[in-house]
Amino acid sequence: MIRVDVPGAPPLLLEYLVLDFNGTLARDGVLSEGVAEALRALSEKIEIHVVTADTFGRAAGELEGLPCRLQLLPAGGQAEAKRAYLHGLGADRAAAIGNGRNDARMLGEAALGICVLGPEGAAGETLLAADAAVASPLDALGLLIDPLRLVATLRD
């Protein structure tokens, strides 16, 4: 579990991390450099789930051997499928990271939502739904590896 104590807010007690794959962890279906190592480090603290429609068909291969659960989603209705997956785990105990329009509801309803503004950009509504925005997947995962970084961003 990851505990984040933000002054002026109740503590965040995070048991789950739900991640989008393409545009968030991967570019053009290929896992971004350093992400595998960060996921390994983070898995010691939190249960990791990756939800994706797998546009490029590479998610299973890219995530093979990594400590995460992969959930492949149908091409349609992804926003609702991601939101429902989050709620199935417990949205109040989960962090969510994404960049696409279909991630907005998931980020907005998670205890902590982080938007990645990477090379593929980010949907405006997803950015607005997030609690924090970062430049890369490593920056996003780093906020959870070292939660004091979140305090600086989220404090009153």
Side-chain angles (χ1 to χ4, degrees):
M1 179 184 320
I2 296 173
R3 181 184 175 109
V4 185
D5 292 304
V6 179
L12 290 171
L13 303 172
L14 304 172
E15 296 178 45
Y16 307 104
L17 172 59
V18 182
L19 297 148
D20 171 54
F21 185 71
N22 287 302
T24 301
L25 293 180
R27 182 177 182 182
D28 300 330
V30 178
L31 207 58
S32 297
E33 187 174 334
V35 167
E37 294 79 10
L39 290 174
R40 284 187 192 99
L42 206 52
S43 72
E44 296 176 14
K45 300 178 180 184
I46 196 167
E47 190 175 298
I48 301 171
H49 299 255
V50 177
V51 293
T52 180
D54 200 15
T55 304
F56 296 94
R58 298 180 180 157
E62 290 292 309
L63 296 170
E64 186 175 355
L66 292 177
C68 62
R69 295 180 187 177
L70 175 61
Q71 179 66 45
L72 297 177
L73 303 173
Q78 287 184 30
E80 176 55 27
K82 288 180 177 187
R83 188 200 70 75
Y85 191 91
L86 174 80
H87 280 274
L89 294 172
D92 61 329
R93 299 181 318 274
I97 302 175
N99 76 312
R101 182 184 304 168
N102 62 10
D103 298 318
R105 291 173 66 190
M106 176 176 73
L107 268 61
E109 295 182 25
L112 174 67
I114 301 170
C115 182
V116 174
L117 297 164
E120 292 183 14
E125 66 187 87
T126 304
L127 181 59
L128 293 174
D131 297 298
V134 295
S136 75
L138 286 181
D139 292 336
L141 297 170
L143 291 176
L144 296 170
I145 291 169
D146 184 0
L148 286 177
R149 293 177 186 170
L150 275 170
V151 173
T153 299
L154 299 179
R155 69 178 166 221
D156 243 338

